[in-house]
Amino acid sequence: MKIPVMFYVAVTTFLLVMLTVMAAMNMAFTWVFYTMCLGQVLVVIMTFKVLKDNYTTDKTFENFYEDNPVNYRQ
C-alpha cells in the first residue's frame, strides 16, 4: 500500500503546529526538544517524498496562473 504524499505533509504540519503550541504553553523542555527533533526529521522525509513523487501535469508556462489569466483586464 502506497501512502499518499499529502499524508506526510499533513503529519509534518500537524506536528510542527503542535510544537508551536507546546512552546507557547511552556511545556517541559525535554518534550519540546524531542518534538522539535522529530519535526526536523519529518521535514526531511516529507521533502524527499514530495520531490520523488511521480506527479505529472499537462500545464505549461503558457497557461500562466489559473487564478490570474494573462489577458485579464481590471
Side-chain angles (χ1 to χ4, degrees), residues 14-70:
F14 175 75
L15 183 86
L16 294 178
V17 168
M18 189 175 70
L19 172 66
T20 304
V21 170
M22 288 169 62
M25 293 179 62
N26 290 328
M27 289 193 70
F29 175 76
T30 54
W31 284 98
V32 175
F33 177 76
Y34 289 124
T35 305
M36 180 196 62
C37 292
L38 179 63
Q40 290 177 351
V41 169
L42 283 177
V43 166
V44 171
I45 292 171
M46 177 193 68
T47 304
F48 178 77
K49 294 288 186 178
V50 166
L51 291 176
K52 294 297 279 183
D53 188 38
N54 188 16
Y55 176 80
T56 58
T57 182
D58 58 350
K59 304 287 184 193
T60 64
F61 286 109
E62 294 173 0
N63 296 101
F64 199 59
Y65 296 103
E66 292 180 349
D67 61 342
N68 188 14
V70 176

